Amino acid sequence: MYEGSVAEPQKLSFDDPVRALNVRLVNGTVNVVGTEEASARLEVSEIDGPPLIVTLKDGTLTVAYEDLPWKGFLKWLDRRGWHRSAVVSLAVPASANVEVGVVSAGAVVSGMRGRTEVRGVTGDTALVGVSGSVSAETVSGNLEAQAVTGDLRFQSVSGNLTVVEGAGSSVRADSVSGDMVIDLDAGGRPTDIRLNSVSGEVAIRLAHPTDTRVEANTTSGSVSTAFDDLRVTGQWGAKKITGTLGAGNGKLKATTVSGSIALLSRPARDNLDELDEKVL
């Protein structure tokens, strides 16, 4: 059991095991790195405004402002509380579950195997090498996921979603005006991709060869595909891309109202290896 406050730059180490992490920050930056140790380390390198409250109880490490609850986090828009900032770095067990909430703050989470949940009002979030399931909800914050292998869920009003070198089998995203760029290679496993947007543009790059059923449609936007086996129908107004790639074990469904949809082909792994050799 630990409870204290941090009002100035400080480093803390925790001997008790950490199974879950909860961080809630306004302005500044939070960095979370997964390690193979059972304990955790915290460094607050910059802080301005009210102190951060730090507690470790029943395996849950919490670093947060006292007046910033996790419940109803996305509605926390009280400008009186914005006169604060902190730069926080944490090293926690990679198996821990992580909850990060940011208001006008950047967040980076890397190397975690447990469940990761992110809530952001206006802050951008980057996920790197995360293998556990991911759930992200933002108002206008962007999410970039690189080399993420777990299932990904994203919901936003105007935030953009970018997935680079994704290897997960499931991506589900909903946005009003945010753009979505998905680069996915699940290593031959069936994938479940479901994307919905009102006015945002959608671009999906699939592995070649790939194995999925495709249904992509837009009410007034444009569509394009790099796959000859897919059909494009509709010339005025609503347009669709439909068809089956490979055995059709996976599913890709993308829907927009006025945004464009593009399906791109990722080069075969053999071609990528040859390209790497030429570059080296």
Side-chain angles (χ1 to χ4, degrees), residues 107-146:
V108 179
V109 180
S110 61
M112 299 303 302
R113 296 192 300 268
R115 174 181 52 82
T116 298
E117 185 173 354
V118 178
R119 295 181 185 178
V121 177
T122 55
D124 294 342
T125 300
L127 306 175
V128 181
V130 174
S131 57
S133 62
V134 175
S135 175
E137 185 178 0
T138 75
V139 177
S140 60
N142 302 321
L143 175 67
E144 180 174 337
Q146 181 176 353

Side-chain angles (χ1 to χ4, degrees), residues 265-276:
S265 176
R266 177 184 250 268
R269 172 54 56 185
D270 291 342
N271 292 341
L272 289 177
D273 292 339
E274 292 176 1
L275 180 59
D276 290 341

Side-chain angles (χ1 to χ4, degrees), residues 25 40 83 95 105 190 194 202 223 253 255:
L25 205 64
H83 300 293
S95 58
R194 305 187 187 193
V202 176
V223 297
K253 186 173 183 180
T255 303

Side-chain angles (χ1 to χ4, degrees), residues 232-244:
V232 177
T233 57
Q235 295 181 345
W236 306 101
K239 301 179 181 64
K240 288 185 178 182
I241 303 175
T242 56
T244 300

